[in-house]
Amino acid sequence: MNARALPLYATILIFVAAYALAYSQFPNILSTRVIGNLLTDNAYLGIVAVGMTLVILSGGIDLSVGAVIAFSGVFIAVMLRDTGLHPLAVFAILLMLTTAFGAAMGFLIDRLAMPAFIVTLAGMFLARGAAYLLSVQSVPITHPFFGQLQSAYVLMPGKGRLTLIGVLMLAVFAVGMVIAHRTRFGTSVYALGGGAQTARLMGVPQGRTTVLVYGFSGLMAGLSGIVFAVYTGSGYSLATVGTELTAIAAVVIGGTLLSGGSGYMFGTLVGVLTMGLIQTYIVFDGTLSSWWTKIVIGLLLLVFILLQKGLLTLSARR
Amino acid sequence: MLLSIRSLTKVFPGTRALDDVDLDIAAGQVHALLGENGAGKSTLIKCLTGAYRRDGGTVTLDGAPIDPRSTLQAQELGIGTVYQEVNLLPNLTVAQNLMFGHEPRRFGLIDTRAMRAQARETLARYGLDIDVDRDLGRYSVAIQQIVAIARAVRISGKVLILDEPTASLDKAEVRMVFDVLRSLRDQGMAIVFVSHFLDQVFDLADQVTILRNGRRVASQPIAGLDRMTLVEQMLGRALEDVVAIPAADAAPTAPILRFQGMGRAGTIQPFDLDVGAGEVVGLAGLLGSGRTETAELLFGIRPAQTGTARDDAGPIDLRTPRAAIAAGFGFAPEDRKTDGIVADLSIRENIILGLQARRGWARPIPRAEQNRLADDYIRQLDIRTSGREKPIGELSGGNQQKAVLARWLAMNPRFLILDEPTRGIDVGAHAQILRLIRDLTQGGLSLLIISSELDELVAVADRVIVLRDRAHVAELTGGAVGADAIMRAIAGTGEAA
Ligand SMILES: Nc1ncnc2c1ncn2[C@@H]1O[C@H](COP(=O)(O)OP(=O)(O)OP(=O)(O)O)[C@@H](O)[C@H]1O
Ligand SMILES: [Mg+2]
């Protein structure tokens, strides 16, 4: 098989092995209840990781998404508190805002040939600052429509709840997979990640693709912000600090090369679920401090980076 | 005229790469574009295809003025191009590379199955039957090149431009590609073809244009022209014949390096090889016959699993390139474009890179010494540049290759392996390099030269080893080294003595 898919298989293997290990200790962990929670708890992370995957595949990075999620929550909460707009209208405005914000960053990255790291770092401060401007305190969301969103779920056999936001995440991943693997835009993204110069000579529209990639990441961050607002029922400007890094970790654990051009959207889903599983395990265990999550994720990251490095040298030798 | 170029001018800081060039390309013809390294061929092509914006002049296609701002626009105008510096993306599959921008779609989504089928069908015309779902990077340079050509042919509706497309192809592959090109020409396509292989130019072209220092010096039908005239037009002087000297029939020197039973499973069958001081050993064989593999084995890139290497002092360690370098080995690889250069560093820095790495970075080479070395090689190899501080990425393709060669020569190795040392290098410089190789061996340097150009091997090698199917199958020495004999041994008919 393609060596490119090797990290993906490794990810899946690790996930299954970890799940089996957890299952042998806590058989409950395979219940629909836990699985439902796994999806719900990680919905916002998964959605933003879809955007991040595309960005990283294109050879870039987006550090602004955590701040954009926080901004989104505060924006929704403040708009619902201060205006009579229906939440759906607020969502629409928000998504346009965050998409435009991402696209603007993409435009700068392309036109000024600036490193994505710098531009999106500036974007991170900007979005976080805008969230503070709207409100420093946590703003509760009391709109009844939010209650409906929160209680929208289907009961799975075994009393597990498949929530709206959990389903939304899976749907977003499905869309992400189609975009990445079945559209010309997706191929352009891989092409840019493989080598911008060559891609340009092949006729890849570099400017448009870059703008679209960051615009898409902005859209995903906005959507993730909505999901996070539904999940927490409030908007808080200090929320989701560092989420961009967690998302990057999920993408890398999912087998995508940080240098761009190689990876799979599905891998990111497995990466997100792996991280969620570790957290669940620690909750089940009860004696472990939650900091163990970070340590295990750190170790996993290390393993994957080593794996990627090994694969690179192997394929260089062909 | 299908494509008319008038007064085309392109200026880079310090260089006038194209100066008032006129060119007419007719439909249904193959138009060869010739010139020395750095003459401006690739620049002309890039100005036509939107990779560079021109600084002056007009271009009309089918009577309408065009000024593509990106290669995508040029593609949409019906201009397909194979650029000199390869070309496609190693991280995409063969099918994706081939079909990008023209993928068959269903309901707006790429129809992967149809794409695969079309890709396979296209490649079949070039005699390639490969798994199109694998990453392109997993295939050899030759296959990548054919995919690049096939892609350009697919894209081009009116004009097909090929900048040194055959540099890494063997004879059979060249024939296959030429067959496709001829049939396209007969269908009315205009083809622009850049090559340093004059035989191929005479074989394929209908019309020739010659550039020198960014100016057009001649544009004429090829019928009735001879080789010498072309070369003189290119160089602006006659080429003193250089390499007709038969290999010095020096008495075989005692071997200084002995390789015994060196081999690696799946890569190259175990072989014995002795190399004498100042001896030039040639490696001949088809692509994939194990030539490059032999070189990589000896240089520790893919280290040997069996066998030993020794010199007068005892066994030598060749398990890594680093160890090989320490043992006084050097290796200028075939794929210099990707393996060889650090594009942003200057010519000087690229030349001293290997030497500096061996000395250790803690002991920098004095600047005056660096300058002397760089200037020396720029002169000896005739590297066309405005100065030693120019970033190497801004040199023409052939001149970049000369600079990489200089890096290995500067390291002053005792045993140097050259994989296709003159590929992409113009006729004038070609002769110069062969002469330089001669001089070096007089000084005691031993060489292993891999080349697809049999004449080149005959000209420089004291001994030629022929490979077939990843094994050393024949060895020709002294008087027996001749193009015909090598050819027979490669084909496996009438085993040479
Ligand atoms: N991007 C660039 N920046 C600066 N100078 C350049 C650049 N590209 C080319 N040049 C210069 O323009 C001149 C023409 O280069 P070009 O690549 O067109 O030569 P060429 O005829 O294709 O040679 P070769 O046979 O070696 O490929 C050279 O002097 C080269 O140094
Ligand atoms: Mg060139």
Side-chain angles (χ1 to χ4, degrees):
Chain A
M1 241 330 262
N2 245 337
R4 187 149 47 111
L6 220 58
L8 176 65
Y9 297 143
T11 312
I12 295 173
L13 201 76
I14 290 180
F15 178 70
V16 172
Y19 219 121
L21 199 76
Y23 176 74
S24 69
Q25 269 182 300
F26 311 109
N28 261 340
I29 219 157
L30 203 57
S31 67
T32 54
R33 236 181 247 243
V34 175
I35 293 172
N37 286 345
L38 200 58
L39 294 180
T40 308
D41 296 342
N42 294 289
Y44 79 98
L45 180 62
I47 291 172
V48 81
V50 169
M52 189 66 82
T53 308
L54 222 51
V55 171
I56 290 181
L57 281 176
S58 80
I61 194 124
D62 188 350
L63 297 178
S64 72
V65 293
V68 171
I69 296 174
F71 167 82
S72 305
V74 180
F75 181 83
I76 295 169
V78 169
M79 287 293 271
L80 291 182
R81 185 188 65 192
D82 298 347
T83 70
L85 286 174
H86 188 271
L88 285 178
V90 176
F91 291 170
I93 298 172
L94 173 77
L95 291 182
M96 280 190 282
L97 266 179
T98 60
T99 308
F101 180 68
M105 288 192 298
F107 183 79
L108 287 181
I109 291 166
D110 178 59
R111 273 309 145 89
L112 307 183
M114 295 241 285
F117 191 95
I118 305 293
V119 174
T120 60
L121 189 68
M124 172 179 113
F125 286 116
L126 216 72
R128 189 67 71 179
Y132 285 132
L133 272 186
L134 287 176
S135 166
V136 182
Q137 262 95 45
S138 173
V139 184
I141 301 173
T142 50
H143 198 285
F145 182 69
F146 258 72
Q148 286 171 11
L149 290 181
Q150 279 155 344
S151 55
Y153 60 84
V154 271
L155 216 53
M156 294 184 284
K159 295 239 178 81
R161 289 176 180 185
L162 190 56
T163 58
L164 180 70
I165 60 174
V167 172
L168 184 67
M169 172 180 79
L170 292 179
V172 165
F173 264 103
V175 172
M177 276 183 240
V178 170
I179 290 181
H181 305 306
R182 297 295 296 278
T183 66
R184 193 171 289 169
F185 166 66
T187 315
S188 297
V189 169
Y190 278 87
L192 279 186
Q197 166 106 13
T198 311
R200 223 176 15 244
L201 287 182
M202 276 178 79
V204 171
Q206 189 180 8
R208 192 175 71 198
T209 308
T210 308
V211 169
L212 280 177
V213 162
Y214 287 90
F216 181 75
S217 179
L219 176 68
M220 289 300 109
L223 196 60
S224 169
I226 295 173
V227 165
F228 195 69
V230 170
Y231 182 63
T232 58
S234 65
Y236 183 33
S237 48
L238 268 180
T240 59
V241 172
T243 295
E244 62 281 352
L245 301 180
T246 318
I248 293 169
V251 173
V252 171
I253 291 177
T256 298
L257 276 187
L258 208 44
S259 50
S262 169
Y264 296 88
M265 196 54 87
F266 183 71
T268 301
L269 176 59
V270 183
V272 168
L273 292 180
T274 306
M275 289 168 65
L277 178 70
I278 298 166
Q279 220 139 17
T280 311
Y281 177 86
I282 282 161
V283 172
F284 263 75
D285 184 274
T287 62
L288 293 172
S289 135
S290 71
W291 285 103
W292 278 103
T293 323
K294 309 263 179 213
I295 292 173
V296 175
I297 287 172
L299 288 176
L300 264 185
L301 263 178
L302 201 66
V303 166
F304 269 85
I305 287 164
L306 288 178
L307 183 73
Q308 292 178 353
K309 189 86 194 153
L311 280 176
L312 275 183
T313 31
L314 265 187
S315 67
R317 290 183 175 193
R318 230 171 284 173
Chain B
M1 278 302 146
L2 180 65
L3 187 68
S4 281
I5 300 167
R6 288 288 166 271
S7 306
L8 186 62
T9 300
K10 175 76 194 173
V11 183
F12 293 113
T15 334
R16 221 175 163 75
L18 291 175
D19 191 0
D20 211 15
V21 173
D22 292 353
L23 189 61
D24 284 310
I25 315 255
Q29 285 205 336
V30 176
H31 198 124
L33 198 55
L34 304 183
E36 286 180 286
N37 294 133
K41 305 177 297 289
S42 301
T43 306
L44 180 99
I45 286 171
K46 288 188 172 167
C47 287
L48 283 183
T49 62
Y52 291 158
R53 300 299 305 280
R54 58 181 186 248
D55 294 319
T58 56
V59 180
T60 54
L61 179 65
D62 255 346
I66 59 166
D67 187 14
R69 281 157 189 277
S70 68
T71 51
L72 186 63
Q73 277 184 16
Q75 289 178 17
E76 282 159 1
L77 289 167
I79 304 177
T81 316
V82 176
Y83 294 95
Q84 181 175 11
E85 57 281 350
V86 168
N87 263 308
L88 301 179
L89 288 160
N91 67 320
L92 299 186
T93 66
V94 173
Q96 282 176 321
N97 269 294
L98 191 59
M99 308 291 293
F100 179 80
H102 298 76
E103 302 93 341
R105 292 194 279 192
R106 264 172 61 199
F107 315 117
L109 298 182
I110 295 173
D111 182 350
T112 20
R113 188 171 311 152
M115 178 167 94
R116 237 175 266 149
Q118 287 183 20
R120 259 195 299 268
E121 205 177 295
T122 308
L123 290 180
R125 289 192 65 190
Y126 299 82
L128 271 193
D129 178 22
I130 56 174
D131 180 359
V132 296
D133 273 337
R134 282 183 55 172
D135 288 355
L136 184 75
R138 320 283 307 167
Y139 290 104
S140 71
V141 182
I143 289 181
Q144 297 190 24
Q145 191 66 31
I146 291 179
V147 174
I149 293 170
R151 171 178 166 77
V153 169
R154 278 192 66 90
I155 287 172
S156 51
K158 295 175 181 160
V159 184
L160 173 62
I161 304 179
L162 306 148
D163 195 352
E164 300 193 33
T166 54
S168 43
L169 303 186
D170 71 22
K171 276 213 161 59
E173 290 162 332
V174 168
R175 202 172 321 123
M176 206 100 70
V177 168
F178 279 15
D179 283 344
V180 174
L181 295 184
R182 283 199 191 91
S183 83
L184 287 170
R185 173 189 62 189
D186 296 341
Q187 290 160 29
M189 179 101 72
I191 298 173
V192 179
F193 176 70
V194 176
S195 177
H196 291 294
F197 297 106
L198 292 183
D199 294 339
Q200 296 184 1
V201 171
F202 279 105
D203 188 12
L204 188 69
D206 304 302
Q207 190 83 18
V208 217
T209 292
I210 289 159
L211 293 180
R212 190 163 72 228
N213 294 328
R215 293 225 174 83
R216 189 186 82 167
V217 293
S219 196
Q220 62 228 328
I222 198 156
L225 282 179
D226 67 13
R227 236 183 137 84
M228 281 326 281
T229 326
L230 272 188
V231 171
E232 276 181 38
Q233 286 175 343
M234 280 164 68
L235 304 187
R237 60 187 156 82
L239 179 68
E240 60 274 45
D241 47 341
V242 212
V243 275
I245 337 147
D249 256 333
T253 48
I256 54 157
L257 293 170
R258 290 172 167 278
F259 305 102
Q260 261 165 352
M262 302 269 285
R264 184 180 168 88
T267 308
I268 185 86
Q269 308 254 330
F271 61 89
D272 296 340
L273 178 66
D274 290 349
V275 183
E279 193 181 21
V280 182
V281 180
L283 284 188
L286 300 176
L287 279 178
S289 61
R291 296 177 310 183
T292 297
E293 287 76 3
T294 301
E296 291 184 345
L297 189 92
L298 294 180
F299 198 62
I301 295 172
R302 283 193 273 189
Q305 290 162 333
T306 61
T308 55
R310 49 173 57 249
D311 59 12
D312 294 341
I316 31 186
D317 176 10
L318 296 178
R319 274 171 307 189
T320 61
R322 206 183 150 79
I325 289 171
F329 284 30
F331 176 42
E334 171 183 28
D335 202 359
R336 281 175 290 268
K337 281 167 207 154
T338 50
D339 296 352
I341 65 164
V342 186
D344 293 331
L345 293 186
S346 69
I347 300 170
R348 171 181 55 81
E349 288 165 314
N350 269 284
I351 289 180
I352 61 139
L353 195 63
L355 200 57
Q356 183 68 69
R358 194 177 56 189
R359 271 171 74 116
W361 298 99
R363 293 195 304 134
I365 301 169
R367 185 58 183 263
E369 173 74 7
Q370 296 187 15
N371 291 350
R372 193 189 58 73
L373 272 173
D375 288 341
D376 245 24
Y377 283 106
I378 289 174
R379 189 174 43 75
Q380 285 191 47
L381 296 175
D382 191 21
I383 299 175
R384 300 289 168 87
T385 170
S386 50
R388 67 173 105 85
E389 298 306 324
K390 187 163 177 154
I392 199 170
E394 292 179 7
L395 288 184
S396 80
N399 284 310
Q400 290 180 7
Q401 304 210 5
K402 294 184 207 165
V404 175
L405 198 58
R407 176 190 306 161
W408 289 104
L409 295 176
M411 287 179 74
N412 210 358
R414 60 173 166 159
F415 179 54
L416 181 57
I417 306 169
L418 302 173
D419 199 349
E420 301 286 2
T422 56
R423 170 172 300 163
I425 286 178
D426 70 50
V427 275
H430 189 265
Q432 230 154 347
I433 286 176
L434 294 194
R435 198 166 0 161
L436 184 72
I437 287 176
R438 270 294 167 68
D439 292 350
L440 289 169
T441 55
Q442 306 274 289
L445 169 71
S446 307
L447 281 175
L448 184 70
I449 294 188
I450 301 175
S451 179
S452 314
E453 290 173 69
L454 300 184
D455 296 337
E456 180 175 307
L457 284 182
V458 173
V460 296
D462 302 308
R463 191 148 56 97
V464 173
I465 293 173
V466 178
L467 288 91
R468 199 187 321 131
D469 295 335
R470 304 186 174 273
H472 293 206
V473 294
E475 186 170 324
L476 309 169
T477 326
V481 177
D484 291 343
I486 299 177
M487 197 76 116
R488 272 199 304 278
I490 289 177
T493 51
E495 211 79 322

